Amino acid sequence: MIGSSSGPDALPSLLAFAYHERILFGSDFPYAPAPVAAAFNQLLDTRSGLTDE
């Protein structure tokens, strides 16, 4: 369910290219239904490889 903008190829490429402190999270909320946004956030938290750092 991870979209193309944050799929398994996109996020590692972004992290390799961009300064980490310059990456800003954005969403389509309120245009995406709340359950979809929540599921997407859960996937980012568990499968993206992103950390608090």
Side-chain angles (χ1 to χ4, degrees):
M1 181 156 145
I2 292 180
S4 62
S5 64
S6 57
D9 296 323
L11 278 174
S13 297
L14 173 65
L15 292 171
F17 173 78
Y19 293 111
H20 295 187
E21 63 273 5
R22 297 287 193 168
I23 298 172
L24 177 67
F25 174 79
S27 75
D28 290 333
F29 184 83
Y31 303 106
V36 172
F40 182 72
N41 287 341
Q42 179 66 25
L43 288 171
L44 285 177
D45 288 343
T46 59
R47 296 187 188 175
S48 68
L50 298 174
T51 65
D52 290 339
E53 295 84 37

mmCIF file of all heavy atoms in Angstrom:
data_model
loop_
_atom_site.group_PDB
_atom_site.id
_atom_site.type_symbol
_atom_site.label_atom_id
_atom_site.label_comp_id
_atom_site.label_asym_id
_atom_site.label_seq_id
_atom_site.Cartn_x
_atom_site.Cartn_y
_atom_site.Cartn_z
ATOM 1 N N MET A 1 0.812 -1.184 0.000
ATOM 2 C CA MET A 1 0.000 0.000 0.000
ATOM 3 C C MET A 1 0.866 1.264 0.000
ATOM 4 O O MET A 1 0.364 2.357 -0.046
ATOM 5 C CB MET A 1 -0.911 -0.032 1.220
ATOM 6 C CG MET A 1 -1.824 1.149 1.302
ATOM 7 S SD MET A 1 -3.218 0.670 2.279
ATOM 8 C CE MET A 1 -3.566 2.157 3.103
ATOM 9 N N ILE A 2 2.154 1.126 0.066
ATOM 10 C CA ILE A 2 3.008 2.303 0.013
ATOM 11 C C ILE A 2 2.965 2.865 -1.400
ATOM 12 O O ILE A 2 3.147 2.149 -2.365
ATOM 13 C CB ILE A 2 4.449 1.965 0.414
ATOM 14 C CG1 ILE A 2 4.508 1.615 1.894
ATOM 15 C CG2 ILE A 2 5.379 3.135 0.123
ATOM 16 C CD1 ILE A 2 5.875 1.263 2.388
ATOM 17 N N GLY A 3 2.704 4.150 -1.515
ATOM 18 C CA GLY A 3 2.594 4.797 -2.813
ATOM 19 C C GLY A 3 3.951 4.935 -3.485
ATOM 20 O O GLY A 3 4.999 4.750 -2.879
ATOM 21 N N SER A 4 3.906 5.295 -4.738
ATOM 22 C CA SER A 4 5.142 5.379 -5.514
ATOM 23 C C SER A 4 6.091 6.445 -4.987
ATOM 24 O O SER A 4 7.300 6.334 -5.121
ATOM 25 C CB SER A 4 4.812 5.645 -6.975
ATOM 26 O OG SER A 4 4.142 6.885 -7.104
ATOM 27 N N SER A 5 5.566 7.507 -4.378
ATOM 28 C CA SER A 5 6.439 8.579 -3.895
ATOM 29 C C SER A 5 7.215 8.185 -2.649
ATOM 30 O O SER A 5 8.146 8.879 -2.254
ATOM 31 C CB SER A 5 5.620 9.836 -3.614
ATOM 32 O OG SER A 5 4.703 9.595 -2.568
ATOM 33 N N SER A 6 6.831 7.113 -2.024
ATOM 34 C CA SER A 6 7.540 6.684 -0.823
ATOM 35 C C SER A 6 7.733 5.175 -0.805
ATOM 36 O O SER A 6 7.838 4.572 0.240
ATOM 37 C CB SER A 6 6.767 7.111 0.419
ATOM 38 O OG SER A 6 5.461 6.570 0.377
ATOM 39 N N GLY A 7 7.779 4.588 -1.949
ATOM 40 C CA GLY A 7 7.932 3.146 -2.065
ATOM 41 C C GLY A 7 9.337 2.691 -1.734
ATOM 42 O O GLY A 7 10.210 3.478 -1.358
ATOM 43 N N PRO A 8 9.577 1.415 -1.858
ATOM 44 C CA PRO A 8 10.860 0.843 -1.458
ATOM 45 C C PRO A 8 12.054 1.381 -2.236
ATOM 46 O O PRO A 8 13.176 1.329 -1.754
ATOM 47 C CB PRO A 8 10.677 -0.655 -1.683
ATOM 48 C CG PRO A 8 9.497 -0.792 -2.566
ATOM 49 C CD PRO A 8 8.645 0.416 -2.367
ATOM 50 N N ASP A 9 11.842 1.937 -3.414
ATOM 51 C CA ASP A 9 12.944 2.519 -4.175
ATOM 52 C C ASP A 9 13.069 4.027 -3.945
ATOM 53 O O ASP A 9 14.172 4.573 -3.960
ATOM 54 C CB ASP A 9 12.762 2.254 -5.676
ATOM 55 C CG ASP A 9 12.830 0.775 -6.000
ATOM 56 O OD1 ASP A 9 13.639 0.060 -5.364
ATOM 57 O OD2 ASP A 9 12.080 0.330 -6.875
ATOM 58 N N ALA A 10 11.953 4.690 -3.761
ATOM 59 C CA ALA A 10 11.960 6.156 -3.667
ATOM 60 C C ALA A 10 12.604 6.667 -2.383
ATOM 61 O O ALA A 10 13.443 7.579 -2.432
ATOM 62 C CB ALA A 10 10.537 6.685 -3.785
ATOM 63 N N LEU A 11 12.225 6.134 -1.239
ATOM 64 C CA LEU A 11 12.769 6.658 0.017
ATOM 65 C C LEU A 11 14.272 6.450 0.155
ATOM 66 O O LEU A 11 14.987 7.393 0.518
ATOM 67 C CB LEU A 11 12.025 6.064 1.218
ATOM 68 C CG LEU A 11 10.707 6.748 1.544
ATOM 69 C CD1 LEU A 11 9.980 5.998 2.658
ATOM 70 C CD2 LEU A 11 10.886 8.195 1.918
ATOM 71 N N PRO A 12 14.812 5.270 -0.134
ATOM 72 C CA PRO A 12 16.263 5.135 -0.054
ATOM 73 C C PRO A 12 16.995 6.085 -1.007
ATOM 74 O O PRO A 12 18.051 6.621 -0.673
ATOM 75 C CB PRO A 12 16.514 3.670 -0.420
ATOM 76 C CG PRO A 12 15.265 2.977 -0.044
ATOM 77 C CD PRO A 12 14.171 3.965 -0.346
ATOM 78 N N SER A 13 16.413 6.303 -2.180
ATOM 79 C CA SER A 13 17.030 7.242 -3.125
ATOM 80 C C SER A 13 17.017 8.655 -2.564
ATOM 81 O O SER A 13 18.012 9.382 -2.653
ATOM 82 C CB SER A 13 16.283 7.209 -4.461
ATOM 83 O OG SER A 13 16.389 5.934 -5.034
ATOM 84 N N LEU A 14 15.905 9.065 -1.995
ATOM 85 C CA LEU A 14 15.818 10.392 -1.385
ATOM 86 C C LEU A 14 16.826 10.532 -0.254
ATOM 87 O O LEU A 14 17.536 11.538 -0.157
ATOM 88 C CB LEU A 14 14.406 10.647 -0.862
ATOM 89 C CG LEU A 14 14.215 11.927 -0.055
ATOM 90 C CD1 LEU A 14 14.454 13.155 -0.933
ATOM 91 C CD2 LEU A 14 12.843 11.966 0.572
ATOM 92 N N LEU A 15 16.904 9.529 0.606
ATOM 93 C CA LEU A 15 17.820 9.592 1.750
ATOM 94 C C LEU A 15 19.276 9.625 1.306
ATOM 95 O O LEU A 15 20.115 10.236 1.974
ATOM 96 C CB LEU A 15 17.562 8.409 2.684
ATOM 97 C CG LEU A 15 16.215 8.446 3.396
ATOM 98 C CD1 LEU A 15 15.974 7.130 4.126
ATOM 99 C CD2 LEU A 15 16.120 9.618 4.348
ATOM 100 N N ALA A 16 19.588 9.003 0.189
ATOM 101 C CA ALA A 16 20.957 9.015 -0.318
ATOM 102 C C ALA A 16 21.300 10.347 -0.973
ATOM 103 O O ALA A 16 22.467 10.736 -1.023
ATOM 104 C CB ALA A 16 21.148 7.881 -1.332
ATOM 105 N N PHE A 17 20.298 11.062 -1.444
ATOM 106 C CA PHE A 17 20.510 12.283 -2.207
ATOM 107 C C PHE A 17 20.382 13.556 -1.371
ATOM 108 O O PHE A 17 21.190 14.474 -1.486
ATOM 109 C CB PHE A 17 19.497 12.327 -3.357
ATOM 110 C CG PHE A 17 19.496 13.600 -4.122
ATOM 111 C CD1 PHE A 17 20.478 13.859 -5.067
ATOM 112 C CD2 PHE A 17 18.517 14.554 -3.902
ATOM 113 C CE1 PHE A 17 20.480 15.043 -5.778
ATOM 114 C CE2 PHE A 17 18.510 15.744 -4.613
ATOM 115 C CZ PHE A 17 19.497 15.984 -5.545
ATOM 116 N N ALA A 18 19.358 13.618 -0.517
ATOM 117 C CA ALA A 18 19.012 14.865 0.172
ATOM 118 C C ALA A 18 19.636 14.938 1.564
ATOM 119 O O ALA A 18 19.859 13.914 2.212
ATOM 120 C CB ALA A 18 17.492 14.979 0.296
ATOM 121 N N TYR A 19 19.901 16.159 1.995
ATOM 122 C CA TYR A 19 20.302 16.356 3.393
ATOM 123 C C TYR A 19 19.120 15.968 4.270
ATOM 124 O O TYR A 19 18.009 16.459 4.085
ATOM 125 C CB TYR A 19 20.670 17.820 3.650
ATOM 126 C CG TYR A 19 21.906 18.271 2.926
ATOM 127 C CD1 TYR A 19 21.821 19.187 1.889
ATOM 128 C CD2 TYR A 19 23.156 17.780 3.290
ATOM 129 C CE1 TYR A 19 22.964 19.608 1.221
ATOM 130 C CE2 TYR A 19 24.296 18.198 2.618
ATOM 131 C CZ TYR A 19 24.199 19.113 1.588
ATOM 132 O OH TYR A 19 25.321 19.519 0.930
ATOM 133 N N HIS A 20 19.356 15.086 5.216
ATOM 134 C CA HIS A 20 18.266 14.545 6.031
ATOM 135 C C HIS A 20 17.506 15.631 6.767
ATOM 136 O O HIS A 20 16.292 15.527 6.949
ATOM 137 C CB HIS A 20 18.791 13.503 7.005
ATOM 138 C CG HIS A 20 19.333 12.285 6.320
ATOM 139 N ND1 HIS A 20 19.724 11.166 6.987
ATOM 140 C CD2 HIS A 20 19.553 12.013 5.006
ATOM 141 C CE1 HIS A 20 20.165 10.256 6.133
ATOM 142 N NE2 HIS A 20 20.068 10.758 4.928
ATOM 143 N N GLU A 21 18.207 16.689 7.194
ATOM 144 C CA GLU A 21 17.527 17.752 7.924
ATOM 145 C C GLU A 21 16.655 18.614 7.015
ATOM 146 O O GLU A 21 15.895 19.457 7.481
ATOM 147 C CB GLU A 21 18.522 18.624 8.697
ATOM 148 C CG GLU A 21 19.503 19.374 7.821
ATOM 149 C CD GLU A 21 20.756 18.584 7.479
ATOM 150 O OE1 GLU A 21 20.858 17.395 7.842
ATOM 151 O OE2 GLU A 21 21.648 19.169 6.843
ATOM 152 N N ARG A 22 16.712 18.382 5.717
ATOM 153 C CA ARG A 22 15.907 19.146 4.761
ATOM 154 C C ARG A 22 14.659 18.384 4.300
ATOM 155 O O ARG A 22 13.868 18.910 3.518
ATOM 156 C CB ARG A 22 16.734 19.487 3.517
ATOM 157 C CG ARG A 22 17.892 20.350 3.791
ATOM 158 C CD ARG A 22 17.407 21.718 4.062
ATOM 159 N NE ARG A 22 18.508 22.662 4.044
ATOM 160 C CZ ARG A 22 18.338 23.954 4.025
ATOM 161 N NH1 ARG A 22 17.146 24.451 4.030
ATOM 162 N NH2 ARG A 22 19.375 24.746 4.035
ATOM 163 N N ILE A 23 14.470 17.161 4.765
ATOM 164 C CA ILE A 23 13.318 16.365 4.355
ATOM 165 C C ILE A 23 12.137 16.725 5.256
ATOM 166 O O ILE A 23 12.258 16.732 6.474
ATOM 167 C CB ILE A 23 13.625 14.861 4.446
ATOM 168 C CG1 ILE A 23 14.767 14.513 3.494
ATOM 169 C CG2 ILE A 23 12.379 14.039 4.120
ATOM 170 C CD1 ILE A 23 15.285 13.097 3.647
ATOM 171 N N LEU A 24 11.015 17.034 4.635
ATOM 172 C CA LEU A 24 9.814 17.423 5.364
ATOM 173 C C LEU A 24 8.670 16.503 4.974
ATOM 174 O O LEU A 24 8.405 16.298 3.781
ATOM 175 C CB LEU A 24 9.446 18.879 5.044
ATOM 176 C CG LEU A 24 8.174 19.423 5.665
ATOM 177 C CD1 LEU A 24 8.349 19.521 7.185
ATOM 178 C CD2 LEU A 24 7.853 20.787 5.087
ATOM 179 N N PHE A 25 8.004 15.965 5.972
ATOM 180 C CA PHE A 25 6.860 15.094 5.738
ATOM 181 C C PHE A 25 5.676 15.929 5.273
ATOM 182 O O PHE A 25 5.416 17.013 5.778
ATOM 183 C CB PHE A 25 6.495 14.340 7.022
ATOM 184 C CG PHE A 25 5.237 13.518 6.895
ATOM 185 C CD1 PHE A 25 5.265 12.288 6.263
ATOM 186 C CD2 PHE A 25 4.039 13.985 7.389
ATOM 187 C CE1 PHE A 25 4.115 11.532 6.130
ATOM 188 C CE2 PHE A 25 2.885 13.234 7.263
ATOM 189 C CZ PHE A 25 2.920 12.013 6.639
ATOM 190 N N GLY A 26 4.943 15.428 4.303
ATOM 191 C CA GLY A 26 3.708 16.055 3.847
ATOM 192 C C GLY A 26 2.696 14.969 3.534
ATOM 193 O O GLY A 26 3.038 13.805 3.403
ATOM 194 N N SER A 27 1.459 15.338 3.446
ATOM 195 C CA SER A 27 0.424 14.343 3.156
ATOM 196 C C SER A 27 -0.675 14.967 2.309
ATOM 197 O O SER A 27 -0.700 16.170 2.073
ATOM 198 C CB SER A 27 -0.164 13.791 4.455
ATOM 199 O OG SER A 27 -1.023 14.754 5.037
ATOM 200 N N ASP A 28 -1.597 14.145 1.881
ATOM 201 C CA ASP A 28 -2.761 14.589 1.129
ATOM 202 C C ASP A 28 -3.965 14.791 2.036
ATOM 203 O O ASP A 28 -5.067 15.003 1.550
ATOM 204 C CB ASP A 28 -3.115 13.570 0.043
ATOM 205 C CG ASP A 28 -2.091 13.535 -1.066
ATOM 206 O OD1 ASP A 28 -1.443 14.562 -1.290
ATOM 207 O OD2 ASP A 28 -1.940 12.482 -1.692
ATOM 208 N N PHE A 29 -3.775 14.710 3.344
ATOM 209 C CA PHE A 29 -4.884 14.933 4.264
ATOM 210 C C PHE A 29 -5.329 16.374 4.140
ATOM 211 O O PHE A 29 -4.478 17.263 4.071
ATOM 212 C CB PHE A 29 -4.448 14.625 5.702
ATOM 213 C CG PHE A 29 -5.576 14.740 6.696
ATOM 214 C CD1 PHE A 29 -6.442 13.699 6.871
ATOM 215 C CD2 PHE A 29 -5.761 15.907 7.408
ATOM 216 C CE1 PHE A 29 -7.489 13.797 7.766
ATOM 217 C CE2 PHE A 29 -6.802 16.018 8.302
ATOM 218 C CZ PHE A 29 -7.671 14.973 8.481
ATOM 219 N N PRO A 30 -6.542 16.699 4.052
ATOM 220 C CA PRO A 30 -7.761 15.908 4.293
ATOM 221 C C PRO A 30 -8.306 15.212 3.049
ATOM 222 O O PRO A 30 -9.386 14.652 3.103
ATOM 223 C CB PRO A 30 -8.754 16.951 4.789
ATOM 224 C CG PRO A 30 -8.397 18.170 4.027
ATOM 225 C CD PRO A 30 -6.887 18.113 3.894
ATOM 226 N N TYR A 31 -7.591 15.284 1.932
ATOM 227 C CA TYR A 31 -8.112 14.680 0.698
ATOM 228 C C TYR A 31 -8.028 13.166 0.723
ATOM 229 O O TYR A 31 -8.854 12.501 0.125
ATOM 230 C CB TYR A 31 -7.380 15.254 -0.510
ATOM 231 C CG TYR A 31 -7.517 16.752 -0.543
ATOM 232 C CD1 TYR A 31 -6.454 17.567 -0.201
ATOM 233 C CD2 TYR A 31 -8.736 17.336 -0.848
ATOM 234 C CE1 TYR A 31 -6.600 18.952 -0.197
ATOM 235 C CE2 TYR A 31 -8.884 18.710 -0.840
ATOM 236 C CZ TYR A 31 -7.812 19.513 -0.515
ATOM 237 O OH TYR A 31 -7.955 20.865 -0.497
ATOM 238 N N ALA A 32 -7.022 12.622 1.402
ATOM 239 C CA ALA A 32 -6.975 11.175 1.618
ATOM 240 C C ALA A 32 -7.764 10.887 2.891
ATOM 241 O O ALA A 32 -7.620 11.605 3.880
ATOM 242 C CB ALA A 32 -5.539 10.696 1.769
ATOM 243 N N PRO A 33 -8.587 9.865 2.890
ATOM 244 C CA PRO A 33 -9.362 9.536 4.092
ATOM 245 C C PRO A 33 -8.436 9.258 5.274
ATOM 246 O O PRO A 33 -7.331 8.729 5.109
ATOM 247 C CB PRO A 33 -10.146 8.286 3.701
ATOM 248 C CG PRO A 33 -10.136 8.272 2.197
ATOM 249 C CD PRO A 33 -8.880 8.965 1.781
ATOM 250 N N ALA A 34 -8.882 9.616 6.462
ATOM 251 C CA ALA A 34 -8.076 9.446 7.676
ATOM 252 C C ALA A 34 -7.542 8.022 7.832
ATOM 253 O O ALA A 34 -6.380 7.846 8.195
ATOM 254 C CB ALA A 34 -8.867 9.872 8.904
ATOM 255 N N PRO A 35 -8.335 6.968 7.589
ATOM 256 C CA PRO A 35 -7.787 5.609 7.725
ATOM 257 C C PRO A 35 -6.629 5.333 6.762
ATOM 258 O O PRO A 35 -5.679 4.636 7.104
ATOM 259 C CB PRO A 35 -8.975 4.693 7.434
ATOM 260 C CG PRO A 35 -10.180 5.519 7.727
ATOM 261 C CD PRO A 35 -9.795 6.925 7.351
ATOM 262 N N VAL A 36 -6.702 5.876 5.556
ATOM 263 C CA VAL A 36 -5.624 5.689 4.589
ATOM 264 C C VAL A 36 -4.369 6.413 5.064
ATOM 265 O O VAL A 36 -3.262 5.873 5.023
ATOM 266 C CB VAL A 36 -6.053 6.176 3.186
ATOM 267 C CG1 VAL A 36 -4.886 6.166 2.223
ATOM 268 C CG2 VAL A 36 -7.197 5.326 2.657
ATOM 269 N N ALA A 37 -4.530 7.638 5.542
ATOM 270 C CA ALA A 37 -3.394 8.402 6.058
ATOM 271 C C ALA A 37 -2.761 7.697 7.255
ATOM 272 O O ALA A 37 -1.538 7.622 7.367
ATOM 273 C CB ALA A 37 -3.829 9.810 6.431
ATOM 274 N N ALA A 38 -3.576 7.170 8.145
ATOM 275 C CA ALA A 38 -3.061 6.467 9.328
ATOM 276 C C ALA A 38 -2.302 5.204 8.918
ATOM 277 O O ALA A 38 -1.236 4.909 9.466
ATOM 278 C CB ALA A 38 -4.207 6.115 10.273
ATOM 279 N N ALA A 39 -2.830 4.465 7.955
ATOM 280 C CA ALA A 39 -2.154 3.251 7.489
ATOM 281 C C ALA A 39 -0.830 3.604 6.831
ATOM 282 O O ALA A 39 0.183 2.920 7.032
ATOM 283 C CB ALA A 39 -3.051 2.482 6.520
ATOM 284 N N PHE A 40 -0.810 4.681 6.052
ATOM 285 C CA PHE A 40 0.411 5.121 5.406
ATOM 286 C C PHE A 40 1.453 5.532 6.444
ATOM 287 O O PHE A 40 2.627 5.169 6.333
ATOM 288 C CB PHE A 40 0.095 6.281 4.472
ATOM 289 C CG PHE A 40 1.284 6.779 3.711
ATOM 290 C CD1 PHE A 40 1.827 6.030 2.687
ATOM 291 C CD2 PHE A 40 1.866 7.989 4.033
ATOM 292 C CE1 PHE A 40 2.931 6.486 1.983
ATOM 293 C CE2 PHE A 40 2.965 8.445 3.336
ATOM 294 C CZ PHE A 40 3.498 7.696 2.316
ATOM 295 N N ASN A 41 1.036 6.271 7.454
ATOM 296 C CA ASN A 41 1.958 6.662 8.524
ATOM 297 C C ASN A 41 2.530 5.442 9.241
ATOM 298 O O ASN A 41 3.712 5.415 9.584
ATOM 299 C CB ASN A 41 1.268 7.581 9.526
ATOM 300 C CG ASN A 41 1.050 8.965 8.973
ATOM 301 O OD1 ASN A 41 1.693 9.367 8.013
ATOM 302 N ND2 ASN A 41 0.127 9.685 9.572
ATOM 303 N N GLN A 42 1.699 4.443 9.466
ATOM 304 C CA GLN A 42 2.162 3.216 10.112
ATOM 305 C C GLN A 42 3.228 2.529 9.260
ATOM 306 O O GLN A 42 4.245 2.057 9.773
ATOM 307 C CB GLN A 42 0.985 2.269 10.370
ATOM 308 C CG GLN A 42 1.354 0.959 11.027
ATOM 309 C CD GLN A 42 1.874 1.134 12.443
ATOM 310 O OE1 GLN A 42 1.565 2.107 13.122
ATOM 311 N NE2 GLN A 42 2.693 0.210 12.885
ATOM 312 N N LEU A 43 3.012 2.488 7.952
ATOM 313 C CA LEU A 43 4.003 1.886 7.062
ATOM 314 C C LEU A 43 5.307 2.676 7.087
ATOM 315 O O LEU A 43 6.393 2.088 7.090
ATOM 316 C CB LEU A 43 3.462 1.810 5.635
ATOM 317 C CG LEU A 43 2.379 0.772 5.384
ATOM 318 C CD1 LEU A 43 1.788 0.947 3.988
ATOM 319 C CD2 LEU A 43 2.929 -0.634 5.565
ATOM 320 N N LEU A 44 5.219 4.000 7.092
ATOM 321 C CA LEU A 44 6.443 4.807 7.177
ATOM 322 C C LEU A 44 7.184 4.537 8.479
ATOM 323 O O LEU A 44 8.409 4.451 8.502
ATOM 324 C CB LEU A 44 6.104 6.296 7.064
ATOM 325 C CG LEU A 44 5.760 6.812 5.686
ATOM 326 C CD1 LEU A 44 5.367 8.284 5.752
ATOM 327 C CD2 LEU A 44 6.909 6.610 4.718
ATOM 328 N N ASP A 45 6.424 4.397 9.568
ATOM 329 C CA ASP A 45 7.045 4.145 10.874
ATOM 330 C C ASP A 45 7.718 2.782 10.945
ATOM 331 O O ASP A 45 8.738 2.615 11.610
ATOM 332 C CB ASP A 45 6.016 4.261 11.996
ATOM 333 C CG ASP A 45 5.579 5.683 12.264
ATOM 334 O OD1 ASP A 45 6.275 6.627 11.829
ATOM 335 O OD2 ASP A 45 4.526 5.862 12.917
ATOM 336 N N THR A 46 7.166 1.788 10.263
ATOM 337 C CA THR A 46 7.650 0.417 10.438
ATOM 338 C C THR A 46 8.504 -0.107 9.288
ATOM 339 O O THR A 46 9.310 -1.012 9.492
ATOM 340 C CB THR A 46 6.475 -0.550 10.645
ATOM 341 O OG1 THR A 46 5.603 -0.479 9.511
ATOM 342 C CG2 THR A 46 5.702 -0.213 11.908
ATOM 343 N N ARG A 47 8.337 0.435 8.088
ATOM 344 C CA ARG A 47 9.028 -0.163 6.926
ATOM 345 C C ARG A 47 9.920 0.784 6.133
ATOM 346 O O ARG A 47 10.519 0.367 5.160
ATOM 347 C CB ARG A 47 7.984 -0.748 5.973
ATOM 348 C CG ARG A 47 7.202 -1.872 6.573
ATOM 349 C CD ARG A 47 6.338 -2.504 5.537
ATOM 350 N NE ARG A 47 5.441 -3.482 6.138
ATOM 351 C CZ ARG A 47 4.511 -4.116 5.492
ATOM 352 N NH1 ARG A 47 4.331 -3.884 4.220
ATOM 353 N NH2 ARG A 47 3.744 -4.976 6.104
ATOM 354 N N SER A 48 9.978 2.033 6.507
ATOM 355 C CA SER A 48 10.707 2.985 5.672
ATOM 356 C C SER A 48 12.201 3.006 5.949
ATOM 357 O O SER A 48 12.970 3.485 5.122
ATOM 358 C CB SER A 48 10.138 4.384 5.887
ATOM 359 O OG SER A 48 10.440 4.839 7.197
ATOM 360 N N GLY A 49 12.604 2.557 7.130
ATOM 361 C CA GLY A 49 14.003 2.652 7.501
ATOM 362 C C GLY A 49 14.370 4.017 8.054
ATOM 363 O O GLY A 49 15.518 4.268 8.370
ATOM 364 N N LEU A 50 13.380 4.906 8.161
ATOM 365 C CA LEU A 50 13.619 6.227 8.736
ATOM 366 C C LEU A 50 13.765 6.117 10.243
ATOM 367 O O LEU A 50 13.129 5.295 10.879
ATOM 368 C CB LEU A 50 12.464 7.173 8.392
ATOM 369 C CG LEU A 50 12.249 7.452 6.912
ATOM 370 C CD1 LEU A 50 10.976 8.278 6.723
ATOM 371 C CD2 LEU A 50 13.439 8.164 6.324
ATOM 372 N N THR A 51 14.595 6.966 10.808
ATOM 373 C CA THR A 51 14.769 7.004 12.250
ATOM 374 C C THR A 51 14.528 8.418 12.755
ATOM 375 O O THR A 51 14.418 9.363 11.961
ATOM 376 C CB THR A 51 16.192 6.573 12.654
ATOM 377 O OG1 THR A 51 17.112 7.551 12.137
ATOM 378 C CG2 THR A 51 16.538 5.199 12.100
ATOM 379 N N ASP A 52 14.471 8.599 14.052
ATOM 380 C CA ASP A 52 14.306 9.926 14.632
ATOM 381 C C ASP A 52 15.471 10.837 14.283
ATOM 382 O O ASP A 52 15.321 12.054 14.235
ATOM 383 C CB ASP A 52 14.143 9.856 16.142
ATOM 384 C CG ASP A 52 12.806 9.249 16.547
ATOM 385 O OD1 ASP A 52 11.875 9.246 15.716
ATOM 386 O OD2 ASP A 52 12.688 8.789 17.696
ATOM 387 N N GLU A 53 16.642 10.275 14.077
ATOM 388 C CA GLU A 53 17.800 11.074 13.704
ATOM 389 C C GLU A 53 17.591 11.645 12.338
ATOM 390 O O GLU A 53 18.128 12.626 11.932
ATOM 391 C CB GLU A 53 19.093 10.258 13.736
ATOM 392 C CG GLU A 53 19.465 9.771 15.126
ATOM 393 C CD GLU A 53 18.776 8.486 15.519
ATOM 394 O OE1 GLU A 53 18.587 7.600 14.669
ATOM 395 O OE2 GLU A 53 18.381 8.366 16.680
#
